[in-house]
């Protein structure tokens, strides 16, 4: 039976990934923040739960002991508070903690390490992001993720560890923070409250978190290494997405487009592209 150590099980992507892993029956270990065990998706009596105050503060030797005997580390945890995570210095703390986790996995002899990145690592000026698109992160968050990918790719394969960096695009769905776009739309429309939005002309590669989790688990459990884009390969404008959600409530009249300014730094179009084989970093 495969044994998988997960971080980020109680975040946005983690519960969807856990649901997918339940189908295959692996033995799971969840390393989570203290007091968050209630958010683990459909807990199994076989699950091992390790609670810590701050998993990014744990040293490599702690991780080596915790990860001993596991076949895969799937690292999904990161600081991700909406409105703050893009520019926060906590990203540096996450980088340091991820390096300690990777070193601990190496010491424990874990044969495979999978980490989550972001499409924001790429140069998005062309509107499309392929797996070999050059990197040009423009925020501390994206730069921190790119730094992790580069460092881990340089270190882990040399140590005999299979490494995959899965870059996520624009996800929405269950367990989403209520401050994020799609969750906010549902919350306002369900209560008949108007919602002020930007012009909505930006085009994004939106994907339901469960579909993304299925793709991520597929890649994580395969022999793929290097870079993998977790994306749909299609784009839709923010306006069209908002209107499709409003149509579920019959309340397009509640969408007030143009009431909020667009972020001038946001690229007009971001669409991911996925190849059958990931490319080296």
């Amino acid at each position: 039976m495969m044994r998988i150590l997960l971080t980020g099980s109680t975040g946005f992507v983690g519960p969807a990934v856990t649901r997918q892993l339940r189908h295959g029956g692996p033995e799971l270990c969840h390393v989570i923040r203290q007091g968050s065990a209630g958010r683990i998706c459909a807990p199994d009596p076989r699950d091992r739960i390790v609670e810590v105050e701050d998993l990014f503060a744990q040293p490599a030797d702690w991780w080596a002991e915790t990860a001993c005997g596991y076949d895969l580390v799937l690292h999904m945890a990161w600081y991700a508070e909406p409105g703050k995570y893009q520019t926060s210095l906590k990203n540096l703390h996450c980088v340091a903690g991820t390096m300690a986790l990777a070193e601990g996995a190496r010491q424990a002899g874990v044969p495979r390490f999978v980490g989550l990145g972001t499409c924001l690592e790429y140069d998005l000026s062309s509107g499309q992001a392929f797996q070999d698109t050059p990197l040009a992160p423009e925020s501390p968050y994206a730069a921190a993720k790119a730094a992790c990918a580069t460092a881990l790719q340089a270190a882990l394969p040399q140590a005999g560890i299979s490494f995959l960096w899965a870059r996520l695009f624009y996800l929405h769905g269950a367990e989403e923070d209520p401050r994020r776009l799609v969750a906010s739309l549902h919350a306002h429309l369900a209560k008949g409250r108007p919602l002020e939005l930007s012009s909505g002309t930006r085009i994004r590669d939106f994907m339901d978190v469960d579909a993304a989790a299925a793709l991520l688990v597929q890649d994580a459990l395969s022999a793929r290494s290097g870079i993998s884009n977790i994306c749909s390969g299609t784009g839709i404008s923010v306006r069209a997405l908002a209107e499709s959600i409003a149509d579920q409530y019959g309340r397009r009249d509640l969408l007030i487009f143009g009431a909020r300014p667009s972020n001038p730094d946001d690229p007009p179009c971001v669409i991911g592209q996925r190849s059958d084989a990931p490319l080296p970093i």
Side-chain angles (χ1 to χ4, degrees):
M1 181 180 296
M2 191 174 194
R3 305 183 75 213
I4 303 174
L5 186 149
L6 306 172
T7 71
S9 300
T10 60
F12 173 34
V13 178
V17 168
T18 302
R19 281 192 291 271
Q20 291 293 324
L21 289 172
R22 296 289 186 214
H23 301 314
E27 182 180 330
L28 303 181
C29 172
H30 306 272
V31 181
I32 59 174
R33 186 174 61 252
Q34 287 177 349
S36 63
R39 296 194 61 193
I40 293 176
C41 178
D44 188 294
R46 298 175 303 157
D47 287 2
R48 176 188 176 198
I49 299 175
V50 179
E51 296 187 72
V52 292
E53 183 176 350
D54 179 0
L55 69 88
F56 291 104
Q58 304 309 307
D61 57 354
W62 183 90
W63 282 112
E65 181 179 350
T66 303
C68 185
Y70 284 86
D71 304 297
L72 166 67
V73 167
L74 179 48
H75 179 41
M76 300 177 287
W78 202 269
Y79 173 68
E81 186 175 357
K84 296 182 178 180
Y85 75 95
Q86 287 279 0
T87 58
S88 175
L89 289 178
K90 291 183 179 180
N91 286 292
L92 300 179
H93 182 54
C94 293
V95 172
T98 297
M99 294 301 107
L101 166 56
E103 171 58 16
R106 184 197 67 79
Q107 292 179 18
V110 178
R112 182 160 170 81
F113 189 103
V114 177
L116 296 193
T118 170
C119 63
L120 300 177
E121 297 172 55
Y122 289 121
D123 178 351
L124 299 173
S125 58
S126 72
Q128 296 194 73
F130 296 84
Q131 290 164 184
D132 60 349
T133 294
L135 302 185
E138 296 186 353
S139 68
Y141 166 71
K145 288 284 192 176
C148 273
T150 302
L152 294 175
Q153 176 65 19
L156 294 183
Q158 282 194 3
I161 300 173
S162 172
F163 171 65
L164 179 71
W165 191 250
R167 291 191 171 120
L168 305 180
F169 281 67
Y170 293 84
L171 307 186
H172 60 85
E175 284 85 32
E176 186 174 12
D177 190 287
R179 291 167 289 183
R180 289 168 60 98
L181 173 64
V182 172
S184 181
L185 281 163
H186 280 292
H188 280 73
L189 294 166
K191 295 178 180 178
R193 302 202 317 255
L195 181 62
E196 295 184 345
L197 300 163
S198 67
S199 62
T201 58
R202 301 287 196 260
I203 295 173
R204 295 291 182 263
D205 190 326
F206 288 107
M207 193 176 192
D208 182 81
V209 68
D210 285 311
L215 199 55
L216 172 59
V217 168
Q218 172 189 303
D219 287 355
L221 299 184
S222 74
R224 293 170 68 104
S225 61
I227 292 297
S228 175
N229 282 345
I230 306 300
C231 60
S232 71
T234 59
I236 182 175
S237 71
V238 172
R239 181 174 188 128
L241 176 68
E243 289 176 341
S244 70
I245 294 171
D247 287 345
Q248 298 174 29
Y249 300 88
R251 295 303 307 267
R252 281 198 187 193
D253 59 299
L254 295 175
L255 304 179
I256 308 174
F257 291 104
R260 298 177 59 184
S262 298
N263 185 344
D265 296 327
D266 279 350
C269 179
V270 179
I271 300 174
Q273 298 296 333
R274 180 179 167 85
S275 68
D276 291 336
L279 298 173
I281 294 172

